């Protein structure tokens, strides 16, 4: 069980997290941290990974307090930062094997299995400098999974991956989610809606929502409309309405409008996580 109470963090005078509280347990499924750039997602993951200390607040995991049991906590964590600086002269296998030894894992087979599971077995002996950005990201994910961590923290784990790589990662994370608390960050609502069972919405370092994805989407029911307009009116209406999406069709445009009152000629449609997220963050006009 991961428990976070009243967590705050600032960089100088700039607050990054403000009074964040949350809880998560194995079996909760994949949990997404959803928010715009600068919302506090990466800072929260860094604090949970013990990469930086909080200013205030309490964190515990699996019965260990971060304040007093940091060494055993770190043995339970797998972490993928946004930027992972790995030596380009080493092969993918050598990097994983080296990092595994640092974690106290001396099973060479596990590193090979992780590479195979992520579709990198043919690249195991290739220097990292010769891998694509997506392949490097997959190596980063593999290193986070070494030792079967019980708390898995992934910062923008799907960034730079192609369709097949994304599918591999999502399947792998789902198979482990019954035994592992997995938090991943994203600024793409559609990505979160597809992957996650639960979502934590962050804005300006504060939690705006924490719960099931379906529950957040349900809150937007009855507030999403499609409106077909003359494209020449687009600029004017954008100033008056909260619009989540625009589709141009010749001299017309189809707006996806968020509103508590039906707009003239608007057609009520089913809400998505993107709609619900925008309603939470910016509301309606």
């Amino acid at each position: 069980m991961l428990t976070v109470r009243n967590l705050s963090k600032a960089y100088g005078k700039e607050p990054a997290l403000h009074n964040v509280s949350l809880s998560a347990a194995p079996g909760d499924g994949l949990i997404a941290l959803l928010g715009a750039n600068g919302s506090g997602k990466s800072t929260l993951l860094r604090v949970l990974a013990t990469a930086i200390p909080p200013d205030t607040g309490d964190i515990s995991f699996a019965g260990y307090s971060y304040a007093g049991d940091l060494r055993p906590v770190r043995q339970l964590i797998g972490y993928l930062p946004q930027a992972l600086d790995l030596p380009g002269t080493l092969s993918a296998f050598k990097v994983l094997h080296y990092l595994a030894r640092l974690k106290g894992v001396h099973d060479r087979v596990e590193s090979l299995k992780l590479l195979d599971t992520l579709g990198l077995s043919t690249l195991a002996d290739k220097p990292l400098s010769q891998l694509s950005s997506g392949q490097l990201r997959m190596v980063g994910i593999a290193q986070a999974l070494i030792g079967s961590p019980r708390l898995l923290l992934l910062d923008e784990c799907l960034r730079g991956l192609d369709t097949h790589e994304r599918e591999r990662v999502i399947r792998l994370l789902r198979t482990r989610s019954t035994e592992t608390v997995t938090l991943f960050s994203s600024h793409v609502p559609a990505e979160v809606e597809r992957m996650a069972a639960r979502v934590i919405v962050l804005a300006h370092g504060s939690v705006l929502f924490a719960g099931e994805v379906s529950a957040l989407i349900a809150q937007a029911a009855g507030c999403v409309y499609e409106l077909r307009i003359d494209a020449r009116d687009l600029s004017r209406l954008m100033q008056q309405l909260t619009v989540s999406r625009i589709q141009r069709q010749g001299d017309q445009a189809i707006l996806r409008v968020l509103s508590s009152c039906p707009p003239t000629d608007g057609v009520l449609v089913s809400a998505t996580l993107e709609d619900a997220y925008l309603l939470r963050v910016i509301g309606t006009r």
Side-chain angles (χ1 to χ4, degrees), residues 23-285:
S23 62
D28 283 347
L30 303 182
I31 303 169
L33 302 177
L34 176 61
N37 292 332
S39 62
K41 305 186 303 296
S42 294
T43 297
L44 179 55
L45 289 176
R46 291 180 70 195
V47 171
L48 295 179
T50 75
I52 57 175
D55 294 333
T56 61
D58 300 308
I59 313 171
S60 63
F61 180 69
Y64 295 107
S65 167
Y66 275 46
D69 303 299
L70 206 54
R71 185 180 295 274
V73 166
R74 284 176 170 161
Q75 296 299 314
L76 304 175
I77 293 174
Y79 174 49
L80 172 70
Q82 275 200 40
L84 187 63
D85 188 16
L86 298 173
T89 55
L90 296 182
S91 68
F93 172 73
K94 286 183 177 179
V95 165
L96 289 189
H97 185 52
Y98 171 71
L99 294 175
R101 293 184 65 185
L102 290 181
K103 287 186 176 183
V105 178
H106 300 281
D107 184 2
R108 294 168 59 91
V109 175
E110 182 187 14
S111 296
L112 292 172
K113 284 183 177 178
L114 284 171
L115 289 171
D116 184 57
T117 301
L118 291 170
L120 297 173
S121 56
T122 59
L123 304 174
D125 297 321
K126 201 169 185 178
L128 295 186
S129 59
Q130 297 180 24
L131 301 185
S132 69
S133 60
Q135 290 166 341
L136 286 172
R137 201 66 180 158
M138 296 289 267
V139 173
I141 293 169
Q143 67 80 30
L145 293 168
I146 289 172
S148 299
R150 293 173 60 188
L151 177 58
L152 186 58
L153 307 166
L154 306 171
D155 201 350
E156 299 284 354
C157 60
L158 300 187
R159 187 183 64 187
L161 302 187
D162 64 29
T163 301
H164 297 297
E165 290 167 338
R166 285 169 177 256
E167 289 299 323
R168 282 181 181 272
V169 171
I170 293 171
R171 283 199 303 268
L172 179 58
L173 296 181
R174 283 177 174 162
T175 60
R176 294 177 176 237
S177 63
T178 56
E179 299 176 353
T180 305
V181 174
T182 302
L183 280 76
F184 72 95
S185 70
S186 177
H187 61 276
V188 184
E191 182 177 281
V192 171
E193 186 172 2
R194 182 163 176 269
M195 286 182 65
R198 294 179 59 201
V199 60
I200 298 167
V201 176
L202 287 168
H204 307 295
S206 296
V207 175
L208 301 187
F209 176 88
E212 294 184 0
V213 170
S214 58
L216 181 55
I217 294 174
Q219 293 182 3
C223 297
V224 187
Y225 298 85
E226 282 194 352
L227 180 63
R228 185 180 291 271
I229 64 167
D230 188 310
R232 291 173 295 184
D233 296 328
L234 183 57
S235 296
R236 175 177 59 84
L237 291 175
M238 287 292 290
Q239 300 299 317
Q240 301 173 2
L241 303 171
T242 301
V243 178
S244 65
R245 194 177 306 165
I246 303 170
Q247 181 181 353
R248 299 294 292 263
Q249 291 186 348
D251 60 356
Q252 291 191 320
I254 299 175
L255 307 185
R256 194 173 181 89
V257 177
L258 309 180
S259 177
S260 55
C261 298
T264 303
D265 299 325
V267 178
L268 185 66
V269 295
S270 298
T272 66
L273 182 59
E274 182 177 21
D275 301 320
Y277 166 72
L278 289 173
L279 278 171
R280 272 283 173 172
V281 174
I282 63 176
T284 61
R285 295 175 186 172

